[in-house]
Amino acid sequence: MNKINKEITSRDNDFAKWYTDVVKAAKLASYSNVKGCIVIEPRGYAIWENIQHVLDTEFKKTGHTNVYMPLLIPENLMKKEGELINGFAPEVAWVTEGGNKKLEERMCVRPTSETLFSDYFHNTVKSYRDLPLKYNQWCSVFRWEKETRPFLRSREFLWQEGHTIHETQKEAETEAHLMHKIYKEFFENYLAIPVITGVKTEKEKFAGAEYSLTIEALMYNGVALQSGTSHYFGQKFAKAYDIKFSDRENNLSYVYQTSWGVTTRMIGALIMVHSDDYGLVLPPKIAPVKVNIVPIKESEEVDNFIENLKKKFDKENITYEVLDSDKSAGFKFAESEVNGVPIRIDIGPRDLANNIVTLTRRDTREKIEVNTKYNDLVVVCNTLLKTIQSDMYDRALERRNSLTFEAHNFSEVKEIMDKQPGFIKAMWCGDADCEAKMKEIKGLKSRCIVDENPIDSKCCVCGKDAKKLVYWGIQY
Amino acid sequence: MNKINKEITSRDNDFAKWYTDVVKAAKLASYSNVKGCIVIEPRGYAIWENIQHVLDTEFKKTGHTNVYMPLLIPENLMKKEGELINGFAPEVAWVTEGGNKKLEERMCVRPTSETLFSDYFHNTVKSYRDLPLKYNQWCSVFRWEKETRPFLRSREFLWQEGHTIHETQKEAETEAHLMHKIYKEFFENYLAIPVITGVKTEKEKFAGAEYSLTIEALMYNGVALQSGTSHYFGQKFAKAYDIKFSDRENNLSYVYQTSWGVTTRMIGALIMVHSDDYGLVLPPKIAPVKVNIVPIKESEEVDNFIENLKKKFDKENITYEVLDSDKSAGFKFAESEVNGVPIRIDIGPRDLANNIVTLTRRDTREKIEVNTKYNDLVVVCNTLLKTIQSDMYDRALERRNSLTFEAHNFSEVKEIMDKQPGFIKAMWCGDADCEAKMKEIKGLKSRCIVDENPIDSKCCVCGKDAKKLVYWGIQY
């Protein structure tokens, strides 16, 4: 190992330290002098931009448009719907002074924008002809977290929040499920992270929602990560904020509402699912740089070969970075590994004389010699990128499956969790007390209720009749 | 005029009311219940997205990368550089409570991020090998303005802020000038708005800058708009925030720094320069929708023609919207006008039988009959979009020139301003008192010192020797 990735703690020795080491070594983010807030550095932000690009395209394809709502929310507006403010009150930041004066009414920095969207909808919608309104915004939100960890939990984070209103319950529910599906597919197809999909319990649902759909991922260490939620609000906010429209029968009706969001936390998931002791590992579809090119020794042949290759990559829209500094080859190999670039191509004059270049896969660190006389290097790279993408998903799925356990009673749950955290599949009667009881085991929480075949007929806590199959896990 | 644009006040009768009427009618933004803050609605935000796309590409092409800095700035960090805080103190919003507790140190919502970038640079830079660092961020900033007007001046606005540090003064100055040039070209080539380029006076420069480069546009009513600034800081922030690096001679040196930004105010400029009594007029290069298609009467031929046309537009990446609601044709014409869609295509069965469709230019409202037997409609549209773009620039330039006046003494300035506001070109001795004296004439401020041939040898205020040619104007 080269110095650059020697600084990374072993994942198996200290997962938490390994995680922050990777964030630091790959230059994704750094701590700032603003407590609990991070600086998202170029390599981290470029991942976010790729995520944004894919999701934004998907949102627009499904009829959503972007808007921008104010950052600050007056206290009274925030309080109109009781559950939301109760949920967020302990963790908001309040602006109490502005323009050198104490404010008459304090305003909170948005922790989420249901209130502002609801207020806007109230002012905007008149008739069923105005519906649906399907909006999204990309912004930052602020929540006064006590313990923070880069990307996973910080006081400020970036996200998108979709907010929609509809004429009918059915339409709104379809919307909530559609966005849930888009999140699931994005995780699987782009982030190469398998997810469990289901409904949050009453206790774990979003403050103010009728129900919350969630995708839940499992990190390498067996800890769960709530990764994206889609909420169906029914008419709750509509009634609190008086969002009415004249319907097809010319009666005044309340709209049906949804909201849904994913955050920069996804970057944390990418690290915790895929990365290793050598640094970051990124799925090709989301990696800002797909290929590193390393000239092993300067020569005219090497230079020409690289110039030619660059043109081909440009043409095929394969992003690359040539590591042509005066650093050693060993340093560059380590740098490329730390940064999680999916493919590295080493090009040396001696090999080149024999039409050979060497590719190294970041995910497996496997070396592949390619004879450029018989193979088009760009085609090889394109195929390899696809292979890496699907292999990464398969490995993540295998890991998750190996850390997913069935339990039929309380002592089985305990036994499993004593050995190794993971997803616990167990039946639940639906009683909040049983859910609370599970928390006694290392803080186990319900991740979601899933639509899968029951594995038992009895609740794993109280032993009473149970029809709900729940995934449980400890969480970030 | 149809009802939809009848609601727009005449531009010549009441410019301020006309402006807000256009913002409202074109659904660009609406007022919110958060004082001084607006909601940027889909049609407004789509313009912003187009602006972002062009500028972001330009920034990346010139070696800049995007990052994200925290929203809140602790008071002490904000105060390290004295001039900046003095400049912004009266207009910041302070967070004093968080997580249900009073904070030990209050934090302001960023009005600009020089302090955070400087703090980050201090922590990051070690050697000349780390330089330059050329960063940008897209975010919102908050300034406690008293009088607000959508897009032009609001408490919160969206912008990009570039922050760079360099090894040498020359490099940093080259950077400041490069970004200034990029802004100028963007205004002229995309927004179709001619700008005056120059340097701000000491009084008008950015708090903390050695000097500020600016682009200044003139609105239809002769009022000036500061439209984009690029600041050279020298080593001021570097010294206040201790941003040092070991240079090529192994000595510790301070970096040289720049920052530059443009804001959603540009959307205000688009309205105030190009739009008219019928609503918004957008330059084709920045218009989210380039073409509206209006089926005049339903028929199979019309439907087929439109389906075919849509495919061709898709292929050519020409964005379009088919207005196929059950509203009247007149309503749709007005809607298309209000929204500033550059070209409208009316397609009716009778005309179609003669291979005729009618195009209407939004900028001139001129009708053009196209025989589709002899002309490829997509080619015609593409050419027309280019013509509209350049005609719009020419008209804006003509208007500006007609409102740009030379003055040689104080009474001449007065005389001109009594008739009609505009740009006043006049010589200035460089004395702050003379600059202050000009303000007595309807609030005239120096817009910028320009690098043009002197028009006189004496200051227009005091009559003493003067070498600086200054553009003056009243401002938004």
Side-chain angles (χ1 to χ4, degrees):
Chain A
M1 260 198 225
N2 202 291
K3 195 176 168 267
I4 194 168
N5 41 27
K6 248 190 200 156
E7 286 165 11
I8 298 172
T9 306
S10 150
R11 179 172 57 177
D12 290 331
N13 282 354
D14 184 344
F15 194 79
K17 177 127 189 7
W18 164 81
Y19 175 78
T20 48
D21 282 353
V22 171
V23 169
K24 210 175 136 186
K27 294 187 180 157
L28 301 179
S30 64
Y31 292 102
S32 74
N33 276 326
V34 188
K35 218 182 153 191
C37 296
I38 59 171
V39 173
I40 305 183
E41 297 183 282
R43 289 188 185 275
Y45 201 85
I47 297 173
W48 183 238
E49 287 182 309
N50 278 357
I51 289 174
Q52 283 188 301
H53 178 71
V54 177
L55 284 177
D56 198 66
T57 306
E58 210 54 52
F59 297 160
K60 284 177 177 152
K61 243 194 263 169
T62 45
H64 302 87
T65 47
N66 288 332
V67 298
Y68 188 76
M69 291 282 158
L71 169 72
L72 301 184
I73 310 172
E75 186 165 16
N76 268 314
L77 188 63
M78 188 72 188
K79 279 184 168 166
K80 273 195 180 175
E81 195 286 328
E83 284 181 58
L84 186 82
I85 183 69
N86 289 340
F88 283 101
E91 51 181 50
V92 295
W94 291 104
V95 170
T96 61
E97 301 164 21
N100 273 341
K101 272 189 198 157
K102 200 166 156 47
L103 305 187
E104 283 175 29
E105 181 186 10
R106 59 182 188 167
M107 301 199 276
C108 73
V109 181
R110 68 173 158 237
T112 181
S113 304
E114 276 73 15
T115 52
L116 290 172
F117 275 93
S118 294
D119 188 48
Y120 173 78
F121 291 145
H122 161 75
N123 291 325
T124 307
V125 174
K126 289 185 178 67
S127 145
Y128 71 90
R129 287 169 198 268
D130 302 328
L131 295 175
L133 288 181
K134 307 207 289 179
Y135 292 160
N136 175 61
Q137 79 175 352
W138 294 95
C139 63
S140 83
V141 284
F142 209 93
R143 299 175 186 177
W144 207 266
E145 303 281 355
K146 271 168 205 138
E147 275 184 65
T148 62
R149 198 188 292 252
F151 296 118
L152 289 181
R153 195 171 285 278
S154 51
R155 289 196 174 163
E156 185 185 13
F157 56 86
L158 302 182
W159 79 346
Q160 62 68 216
E161 46 178 328
H163 296 268
T164 70
I165 51 174
H166 307 262
E167 208 181 327
T168 65
Q169 171 172 354
K170 195 182 160 203
E171 244 190 65
E173 293 202 66
T174 304
E175 165 80 10
H177 280 88
L178 172 65
M179 302 325 287
H180 180 57
K181 182 165 164 267
I182 285 177
Y183 289 158
K184 171 186 155 58
E185 289 173 355
F186 177 70
F187 264 70
E188 297 184 342
N189 299 339
Y190 287 86
L191 305 184
I193 298 176
V195 290
I196 303 293
T197 59
V199 187
K200 284 284 183 192
T201 62
E202 276 298 301
K203 187 179 174 306
E204 297 294 329
K205 75 176 186 187
F206 182 78
E210 293 273 337
Y211 60 79
S212 296
L213 303 168
T214 182
I215 56 172
E216 301 281 332
L218 197 68
M219 304 298 99
Y220 184 86
N221 63 346
V223 175
L225 191 75
Q226 177 180 308
S227 300
T229 45
S230 179
H231 315 292
Y232 170 66
F233 290 123
Q235 298 177 314
K236 264 192 184 174
F237 281 90
K239 285 176 181 167
Y241 289 81
D242 195 32
I243 317 173
K244 278 190 289 220
F245 66 101
S246 71
D247 64 19
R248 287 167 202 266
E249 280 79 44
N250 228 354
N251 299 315
L252 275 183
S253 296
Y254 289 109
V255 299
Y256 296 86
Q257 197 166 353
T258 82
S259 83
W260 29 274
V262 288
T263 78
T264 33
R265 161 172 271 206
M266 287 185 281
I267 300 173
L270 282 174
I271 302 168
M272 291 203 161
V273 170
H274 298 303
S275 300
D276 62 22
D277 288 355
Y278 300 92
L280 194 62
V281 181
L282 286 176
K285 279 195 193 169
I286 225 69
V289 177
K290 317 278 185 230
V291 179
N292 268 164
I293 303 170
V294 182
I296 294 301
K297 220 174 165 177
E298 263 183 83
S299 88
E300 211 183 305
E301 287 72 28
V302 169
D303 286 353
N304 290 342
F305 188 88
I306 290 176
E307 280 315 306
N308 194 16
L309 189 56
K310 280 162 70 176
K311 273 179 213 145
K312 284 185 187 163
F313 280 154
D314 282 334
K315 215 173 139 189
E316 287 284 311
N317 279 321
I318 297 177
T319 52
Y320 58 86
E321 218 169 50
V322 183
L323 305 182
D324 53 6
S325 70
D326 55 7
K327 300 265 166 71
S328 72
F331 181 92
K332 290 174 190 175
F333 297 166
E335 196 186 359
S336 182
E337 281 183 337
V338 158
N339 291 334
V341 177
I343 299 176
R344 193 185 78 223
I345 308 180
D346 303 335
I347 300 163
R350 212 181 307 166
D351 278 352
L352 211 53
N354 299 314
N355 301 312
I356 297 291
V357 300
T358 306
L359 272 52
T360 306
R361 284 175 66 154
R362 171 60 187 94
D363 63 329
T364 58
R365 306 183 76 227
E366 182 191 345
K367 284 192 192 317
I368 301 158
E369 284 199 349
V370 177
N371 189 318
T372 58
K373 201 169 169 186
Y374 306 112
N375 298 283
D376 182 331
L377 197 48
V378 176
V379 173
V380 173
C381 283
N382 251 332
T383 310
L384 187 54
L385 289 169
K386 286 197 186 92
T387 307
I388 293 172
Q389 180 82 27
S390 83
D391 285 0
M392 282 180 71
Y393 178 81
D394 291 346
R395 274 195 306 275
L397 182 61
E398 205 178 303
R399 176 81 188 169
R400 187 195 72 185
N401 289 344
S402 78
L403 295 175
T404 302
F405 311 99
E406 286 191 7
H408 298 268
N409 54 55
F410 202 66
S411 63
E412 269 184 34
V413 177
K414 261 189 177 159
E415 216 170 284
I416 295 162
M417 288 298 293
D418 276 341
K419 277 193 214 135
Q420 158 76 51
F423 274 144
I424 310 270
K425 287 171 72 170
M427 299 305 292
W428 177 53
C429 60
D431 193 324
D433 287 344
C434 289
E435 194 177 0
K437 180 94 183 148
M438 285 290 266
K439 220 179 156 187
E440 291 171 11
I441 308 175
K442 310 207 170 187
L444 269 185
K445 284 188 177 180
S446 66
R447 306 313 315 155
C448 56
I449 304 162
V450 295
D451 190 17
E452 293 178 26
N453 285 332
I455 58 164
D456 204 324
S457 60
K458 305 289 176 197
C459 173
C460 75
V461 183
C462 66
K464 288 183 191 154
D465 282 355
K467 280 180 185 155
K468 288 177 178 157
L469 177 56
V470 171
Y471 275 72
W472 309 80
I474 52 174
Q475 73 175 25
Y476 274 109
Chain B
M1 258 198 224
N2 203 289
K3 194 178 169 265
I4 193 169
N5 42 27
K6 249 191 201 156
E7 286 166 12
I8 298 173
T9 306
S10 151
R11 179 173 57 177
D12 290 330
N13 282 355
D14 185 344
F15 194 80
K17 178 125 189 5
W18 164 80
Y19 175 78
T20 48
D21 283 352
V22 171
V23 168
K24 210 176 136 187
K27 293 187 182 158
L28 301 179
S30 64
Y31 292 101
S32 75
N33 276 327
V34 188
K35 217 183 154 191
C37 295
I38 58 171
V39 173
I40 305 183
E41 297 183 282
R43 289 188 185 275
Y45 201 84
I47 298 173
W48 183 238
E49 286 181 309
N50 278 358
I51 288 174
Q52 283 189 303
H53 179 70
V54 176
L55 284 176
D56 198 66
T57 305
E58 210 55 50
F59 297 159
K60 283 178 177 149
K61 244 196 259 167
T62 46
H64 302 87
T65 47
N66 287 333
V67 298
Y68 188 76
M69 292 282 158
L71 169 73
L72 302 183
I73 311 172
E75 185 165 17
N76 267 312
L77 189 62
M78 187 73 188
K79 279 185 169 166
K80 272 194 179 174
E81 197 283 328
E83 284 181 56
L84 185 82
I85 183 69
N86 289 340
F88 283 100
E91 52 181 52
V92 295
W94 292 104
V95 170
T96 62
E97 302 164 20
N100 272 342
K101 272 189 197 155
K102 200 167 154 48
L103 305 187
E104 283 175 28
E105 181 186 10
R106 60 181 187 167
M107 302 198 276
C108 72
V109 181
R110 68 173 158 237
T112 182
S113 305
E114 277 73 13
T115 52
L116 290 172
F117 275 93
S118 294
D119 188 49
Y120 173 77
F121 291 145
H122 160 75
N123 291 325
T124 307
V125 174
K126 289 183 179 69
S127 145
Y128 70 91
R129 286 169 198 269
D130 302 328
L131 295 174
L133 288 181
K134 306 207 289 181
Y135 291 160
N136 176 62
Q137 79 175 353
W138 295 94
C139 63
S140 83
V141 284
F142 209 93
R143 298 175 187 178
W144 206 267
E145 304 282 356
K146 272 167 205 139
E147 277 184 65
T148 61
R149 198 189 291 254
F151 295 119
L152 289 182
R153 194 170 285 279
S154 51
R155 289 199 174 159
E156 185 185 14
F157 56 86
L158 303 182
W159 79 345
Q160 63 66 219
E161 47 178 327
H163 296 268
T164 70
I165 51 173
H166 307 263
E167 211 182 326
T168 64
Q169 172 173 354
K170 196 181 159 202
E171 245 189 63
E173 293 201 65
T174 303
E175 166 80 10
H177 281 87
L178 171 66
M179 301 326 287
H180 180 56
K181 183 165 163 266
I182 285 176
Y183 288 158
K184 172 185 155 56
E185 289 173 356
F186 177 71
F187 263 70
E188 297 183 343
N189 299 338
Y190 287 86
L191 305 185
I193 298 177
V195 290
I196 303 293
T197 60
V199 187
K200 284 283 182 192
T201 61
E202 277 299 301
K203 186 178 176 307
E204 296 295 328
K205 74 177 188 187
F206 183 77
E210 293 271 336
Y211 60 79
S212 296
L213 302 168
T214 183
I215 57 172
E216 301 281 332
L218 197 68
M219 304 299 98
Y220 184 85
N221 63 345
V223 175
L225 190 74
Q226 176 179 308
S227 301
T229 45
S230 179
H231 314 292
Y232 170 66
F233 290 123
Q235 297 177 316
K236 265 192 185 175
F237 281 90
K239 284 176 182 167
Y241 289 81
D242 195 32
I243 318 172
K244 278 190 291 223
F245 67 102
S246 71
D247 65 19
R248 286 167 204 268
E249 280 79 43
N250 229 353
N251 299 316
L252 276 183
S253 296
Y254 288 109
V255 299
Y256 295 84
Q257 198 166 352
T258 81
S259 83
W260 29 275
V262 287
T263 78
T264 33
R265 160 172 273 208
M266 288 185 282
I267 300 173
L270 281 174
I271 302 168
M272 291 204 161
V273 170
H274 298 304
S275 300
D276 62 21
D277 288 356
Y278 301 92
L280 193 63
V281 181
L282 286 176
K285 278 195 192 170
I286 225 68
V289 177
K290 318 280 184 226
V291 179
N292 267 165
I293 302 170
V294 183
I296 295 300
K297 218 173 167 179
E298 262 183 87
S299 87
E300 210 183 308
E301 287 73 26
V302 169
D303 285 354
N304 289 341
F305 188 88
I306 290 176
E307 280 315 305
N308 194 18
L309 189 57
K310 280 162 70 176
K311 273 180 213 143
K312 285 185 187 164
F313 280 154
D314 281 335
K315 214 175 143 191
E316 287 285 311
N317 280 319
I318 297 177
T319 52
Y320 58 85
E321 221 169 47
V322 183
L323 305 183
D324 53 6
S325 71
D326 53 7
K327 300 267 166 71
S328 73
F331 181 92
K332 289 175 190 174
F333 297 166
E335 195 186 1
S336 183
E337 280 183 340
V338 158
N339 291 334
V341 177
I343 298 175
R344 195 187 76 222
I345 308 181
D346 303 336
I347 300 162
R350 211 179 310 164
D351 278 352
L352 211 54
N354 300 314
N355 302 310
I356 297 292
V357 301
T358 306
L359 271 52
T360 306
R361 284 174 67 155
R362 171 61 186 94
D363 61 331
T364 58
R365 307 183 73 227
E366 181 190 346
K367 285 195 190 314
I368 302 159
E369 284 199 350
V370 178
N371 189 318
T372 58
K373 199 169 172 185
Y374 307 111
N375 299 282
D376 183 330
L377 197 49
V378 176
V379 173
V380 172
C381 284
N382 252 331
T383 309
L384 187 55
L385 289 170
K386 287 197 187 90
T387 306
I388 294 172
Q389 180 81 27
S390 83
D391 285 359
M392 282 180 71
Y393 178 82
D394 291 346
R395 274 196 305 274
L397 183 61
E398 206 179 303
R399 176 83 188 167
R400 188 194 73 187
N401 289 345
S402 77
L403 294 175
T404 302
F405 311 98
E406 287 191 7
H408 297 269
N409 55 55
F410 202 67
S411 62
E412 269 184 35
V413 177
K414 262 189 176 158
E415 216 170 282
I416 295 162
M417 288 298 294
D418 276 342
K419 275 191 216 138
Q420 158 77 51
F423 274 145
I424 310 270
K425 287 171 71 171
M427 300 304 293
W428 177 53
C429 61
D431 193 326
D433 288 344
C434 289
E435 194 177 0
K437 180 95 182 146
M438 285 289 267
K439 221 180 155 185
E440 292 171 10
I441 309 175
K442 311 208 168 185
L444 270 185
K445 283 188 176 181
S446 66
R447 307 313 315 155
C448 56
I449 304 163
V450 294
D451 191 17
E452 293 178 25
N453 286 332
I455 57 162
D456 203 324
S457 60
K458 305 290 177 198
C459 174
C460 75
V461 183
C462 66
K464 287 184 191 152
D465 282 354
K467 282 182 183 149
K468 287 175 179 159
L469 177 57
V470 170
Y471 274 72
W472 309 82
I474 52 175
Q475 73 175 25
Y476 274 109

